[in-house]
Amino acid sequence: MIYRYVPSLTALRTFESSARHMSFTKAAEELNVTQSAVSRQIRQLEDELGIRLFERVRQRLVLTEAGASYVQEVRKGLDQLKSATLNLLAYQGVGGELLLACLPTFGSRWLIPRLGRFTSQHPEINVNLVTRIEAFNFESEDIDAAIYFGDSNWPGTISDKLMGEEMIPVCSPSLLEDVGSIETPGDLSHHTLLQLRSRPYAWQEWLKGKETQDINPAAGPKFEQFHMIINAALTGLGVALLPAFLIKEELSKGLLTQLFDDSIRGKNAYYLVYPENKRGLPRLQTFRRWLLREAARQEQK
């Protein structure tokens, strides 16, 4: 790795402090140096980069357009260095914190109930969870890995398949009491089909080959997340097509009823995804091995 284009840490800290305070004098006070030392650091940094970072406007210090853009990236880098150092000191080089992005319902209903087993086996590693629905860029977000649903085509990353999902049609028993039994797929024409935005063709796939008429598979209220559509089904708003493993408790307690034996298993699956440059991160690999074992148990059920 070539570092000749990376300015000194002292220069970057001086630049960030000056930009935050918009004052060389206040930056000098914060850094416990002289105002002339700050001015010298900024001048040397600008000479090294060949770009003006500050200018004087009516005796006030202001960032140039380039400086305003640069300071945002410098601040991110300094924050990452600070976080890495605190992490190292806290865990003495063993374990550490793993920041994992996860789909909300998958995280709350499948991953979190199992995390206790991981923590008991690896108390030196803290798994911090953030929720994500849309795809994101590892380069722009400080995330170590992600669990997402889709295919394995995510450029610049490594993907480990965890599990697929069996989608089954369900509704609340109260809906059947109010409207009557649903004996055949054709009976769904009299019911509201609850839709998930991230699975726009789910009902179409399930209804394929059922010889049904007068059913629009795309009609019905749309929801952003599985936990929303689960609650909608529980309250009798309509019939939902849901992953069986996410609603095991509701099915076992009779809160939801599976309408037919038919299920669909699409080509997409849940994956653990992480950037190639984190392939050798020990705490990520420890979590990866544990997660793959847990997923294998799920697939065997």
Side-chain angles (χ1 to χ4, degrees):
M1 187 176 292
I2 299 174
Y3 292 98
R4 66 172 177 263
Y5 296 117
V6 181
S8 71
L9 183 59
T10 299
L12 294 176
R13 289 180 62 234
T14 303
F15 169 56
E16 191 282 329
S17 180
S18 300
R20 182 160 29 87
H21 293 293
M22 284 302 170
S23 167
F24 289 169
T25 301
K26 291 182 179 179
E29 293 174 357
E30 179 178 271
L31 300 172
N32 197 28
V33 297
T34 65
Q35 191 268 351
S36 61
V38 170
S39 297
R40 186 168 56 253
Q41 284 286 344
I42 297 300
R43 186 169 59 254
Q44 290 175 351
L45 178 60
E46 290 178 330
D47 290 343
E48 184 178 348
L49 297 173
I51 298 173
R52 289 292 300 276
L53 301 173
F54 292 98
E55 58 186 5
R56 293 278 182 180
V57 177
R58 297 177 183 174
Q59 302 304 310
R60 290 191 309 109
L61 190 68
V62 297
L63 285 164
T64 63
E65 185 176 346
S69 176
Y70 188 46
V71 74
Q72 299 299 322
E73 299 304 318
V74 167
R75 194 163 286 144
K76 289 179 186 177
L78 292 175
D79 286 344
Q80 288 177 354
L81 286 173
K82 177 183 176 182
S83 178
T85 302
L86 292 175
N87 204 25
L88 178 67
L89 293 174
Y91 296 97
Q92 300 296 302
V94 179
E97 294 188 349
L98 184 70
L99 185 56
L100 179 71
C102 189
L103 296 163
T105 311
F106 182 92
S108 63
R109 288 185 169 241
W110 190 88
L111 180 60
I112 289 176
R114 291 165 170 77
L115 269 183
R117 291 202 285 267
F118 178 79
T119 301
S120 64
Q121 296 170 26
H122 302 283
E124 76 283 3
I125 299 175
N126 278 340
V127 179
N128 299 328
L129 291 178
V130 294
T131 58
R132 292 289 187 277
I133 299 176
E134 303 296 333
F136 60 90
N137 189 335
F138 280 110
E139 294 181 359
S140 62
E141 296 195 56
D142 186 22
I143 294 172
D144 295 313
I147 296 176
Y148 89 114
F149 185 84
D151 57 33
S152 59
N153 183 23
W154 200 329
T157 68
I158 298 170
S159 301
D160 291 310
K161 184 177 179 180
L162 299 176
M163 66 186 79
E165 61 180 13
E166 297 286 341
M167 301 283 282
I168 59 174
V170 298
C171 72
S172 70
S174 62
L175 183 68
L176 298 177
E177 293 173 2
D178 294 339
V179 183
S181 63
I182 300 176
E183 301 292 344
T184 68
D187 293 336
L188 292 175
S189 62
H190 306 296
H191 293 269
T192 299
L193 302 184
L194 305 177
Q195 310 283 340
L196 188 72
R197 290 188 184 277
S198 61
R199 308 282 200 281
Y201 303 109
W203 275 115
Q204 179 179 317
E205 289 296 316
W206 187 86
L207 288 167
K208 187 185 298 183
K210 296 291 192 300
E211 298 182 355
T212 57
Q213 296 179 350
D214 302 324
I215 296 180
N216 182 348
K222 296 175 175 58
F223 300 86
E224 288 288 339
Q225 301 177 22
F226 268 133
H227 79 83
M228 295 179 179
I229 201 170
I230 290 170
N231 286 334
L234 286 170
T235 56
L237 288 181
V239 180
L241 199 57
L242 296 169
F245 78 95
L246 290 181
I247 53 172
K248 289 179 64 175
E249 183 175 352
E250 285 81 2
L251 290 172
S252 64
K253 291 182 177 180
L255 300 175
L256 289 176
T257 300
Q258 181 173 350
L259 296 177
F260 309 98
D261 293 333
D262 300 56
S263 65
I264 57 169
R265 188 179 182 92
K267 62 179 181 179
N268 291 334
Y270 292 90
Y271 287 86
L272 174 68
V273 187
Y274 49 96
E276 293 174 346
N277 62 6
K278 295 201 175 183
R279 178 198 301 265
L281 192 63
R283 57 185 178 272
L284 174 56
Q285 289 304 317
T286 298
F287 180 76
R288 170 185 173 274
R289 289 189 292 270
W290 171 83
L291 186 62
L292 287 173
R293 289 195 298 270
E294 290 292 326
R297 292 193 186 101
Q298 175 67 46
E299 288 286 76
Q300 292 169 4
K301 292 181 179 179

